[in-house]
Amino acid sequence: MKLAITGKESAPEKAPFVLRGPYETIIPKAGKMGYDAIELHIHDSAAIDRAKIRKLMDEAGITLSSIGTGSAYSEDRISLSNEDASVREQAIKRLEMHMDTAKEYDAVVIVGLIKGLVRDCSSRDVCIRNLSESLTKLVKKAEADRVPLVLEVINRYESDFLTTIEETLDFLAPFNSEQLLLHIDTFHMNIEQASIPDSIRRAKGKIGHCHVADSDRWYVGHGHYDFAGTIQALRDIGYDRALAVESLMYPDSDTSAEESLKSLRSLVGE
């Protein structure tokens, strides 16, 4: 498993992104700290210099594990389930551009809050239908480019549907695509899953990405989350992609990144 750290150019203090600042700063920092990869939360791939980012990655000796997309919803209010077809199309185009960025690295593109929420629609059925139709369009490009889209399982306090592994697996089943997978997160699972290892094992072959933070959303090792059990379950199902640290940057960014890396290395045997 690759060990990755989240990074974003700018974000509110309480957002769970560990490294903050321009790519020229955070990409070299991730490499210097010893991470294998970085997860970049990119607002719009149309606005970035891909060649520059590639050069920074190569010089730092790391790769891109994943692209976070949540700001499309939080800042622009665009989503894949919006009842306005033109807004859904904006969300689709945004994700397609991210897939163009990701395909250079064998990275995944996260579908988190950009999926939208039931409360933004007139009914749950409408929300599910719109999301399904949007993902059906996106899966065509994902399969052609071999870029996994990973649908994030988000806890009930931040999302009003697709809050458990089981519910999200049921939603994904009709697509039957190797490029539309599950994205799990230890913080969310700690809230929602009765048995995290059992749920992970039931999702064998369907997990494409994993975020890690401790039970209090601080760095790995600060709280009481059973990372050993989760990592063993991931090994049992043959998961070989990234463990990406998406935690609060407390007590500060560097300490959070360094402590998580130290704990993860011990857990994965590196």
Side-chain angles (χ1 to χ4, degrees), residues 45 90 95 110 117 139 148 184 194 201-202 239-240 248:
S45 273
Q90 289 179 59
L95 288 169
I110 297 169
L117 297 172
V139 163
I184 61 174
R201 291 186 181 99
R202 281 195 293 270
Y239 178 79
D240 61 358
L248 299 170

Side-chain angles (χ1 to χ4, degrees), residues 118-225:
V118 169
R119 63 175 173 264
D120 296 332
C121 297
S122 56
S123 71
R124 181 184 179 87
D125 287 345
V126 167
C127 180
I128 293 287
R129 183 192 69 219
N130 289 345
L131 176 59
S132 297
E133 290 177 357
S134 296
L135 286 173
T136 297
K137 294 177 182 178
L138 283 164
V139 163
K140 293 178 182 178
K141 180 174 174 62
E143 292 180 340
D145 292 351
R146 299 195 63 78
V147 175
L149 291 169
V150 291
L151 186 59
E152 187 169 16
V153 184
I154 303 174
N155 75 76
R156 74 190 75 178
Y157 304 108
E158 298 176 56
S159 179
D160 53 10
F161 75 125
L162 303 182
T163 59
T164 68
I165 287 174
E166 292 76 16
E167 180 189 3
T168 311
L169 281 173
D170 287 344
F171 173 78
L172 290 179
F175 293 93
N176 192 31
S177 172
E178 293 181 359
Q179 304 303 325
L180 183 58
L181 299 169
L182 203 65
H183 167 24
I184 61 174
D185 182 309
T186 61
F187 177 75
H188 300 309
M189 290 190 294
N190 192 55
I191 295 171
E192 297 292 348
Q193 302 300 144
S195 171
I196 293 168
D198 288 349
S199 293
I200 289 172
R201 291 186 181 99
R202 281 195 293 270
K204 182 177 181 179
K206 298 298 183 182
I207 296 178
H209 193 49
C210 180
H211 275 161
V212 291
D214 219 315
S215 53
D216 51 5
R217 219 170 197 177
W218 280 50
Y219 56 80
V220 176
H222 187 267
H224 58 73
Y225 186 86

Side-chain angles (χ1 to χ4, degrees), residues 68-80:
T69 64
S71 64
Y73 179 81
S74 62
E75 296 178 24
D76 297 340
R77 308 308 289 181
I78 64 173
S79 75
L80 297 172

Side-chain angles (χ1 to χ4, degrees), residues 90-101:
Q90 289 179 59
I92 289 168
K93 294 298 183 187
R94 187 76 61 94
L95 288 169
E96 288 177 337
M97 290 295 292
H98 288 317
M99 283 192 272
D100 287 339
T101 301

